[in-house]
Amino acid sequence: MKFTAVVVIAPDHLEDRVIEHAQRAGATGVTILPGKGIGGESKRTFFGLTFEGSQSVLLMVVGSHLSTSILKELHTILVNDGNSRGLAFSIPIEHLTGIDLRQVAKFEEHMRHEDS
């Protein structure tokens, strides 16, 4: 079985929705890392205090056959009226070790249900 890493960078307040939509499209596990980005726009201030929104970096290792459907599902959350609220991309994984065999079984079961 071939695997792909799906990486999502999104504002913290979208984290639960990203996970829900990714799981709906077949992702079974997610690793969440805190993040802080530096964008092209200037930082917002409020009464002299600088506001920097925090972000989450979500990493999912999925069967390669699932990556496109997961990205399509995430597009519905991350793009709103043409405005980006985060980004998602996939990276093919050439070599992988340490994955739990139960995860592989879940991937394979999901594939059987898709084929039905």
Side-chain angles (χ1 to χ4, degrees):
M1 173 179 261
K2 294 187 180 223
F3 293 94
T4 298
V6 175
V7 180
V8 183
I9 302 170
D12 279 349
H13 71 276
L14 292 178
E15 185 179 292
D16 290 336
R17 288 186 60 208
V18 166
I19 293 168
E20 177 186 317
H21 283 251
Q23 287 177 333
R24 184 182 309 154
T28 56
V30 180
T31 299
I32 304 167
L33 306 167
K36 183 170 113 175
I38 299 172
E41 298 177 19
S42 59
K43 297 175 184 159
R44 290 181 255 159
T45 58
F46 184 70
F47 290 116
L49 300 173
T50 302
F51 171 76
E52 294 180 9
S54 56
Q55 299 173 330
S56 294
V57 178
L58 297 95
L59 174 62
M60 298 163 248
V61 175
V62 300
S64 295
H65 66 285
L66 296 173
S67 61
T68 301
S69 60
I70 291 171
L71 290 173
K72 285 180 180 179
E73 185 72 28
L74 294 176
H75 180 80
T76 64
I77 300 168
L78 299 176
V79 178
N80 186 10
D81 295 328
N83 297 317
S84 174
R85 301 190 298 177
L87 68 104
F89 57 92
S90 63
I91 304 169
I93 297 174
E94 190 170 332
H95 303 286
L96 177 68
T97 187
I99 192 165
D100 189 330
L101 293 177
R102 291 173 293 191
Q103 288 292 103
V104 174
K106 285 183 182 180
F107 289 141
E108 290 171 345
E109 182 179 330
H110 185 79
M111 286 175 53
R112 282 193 293 273
H113 288 299
E114 274 190 357
D115 292 338
S116 303

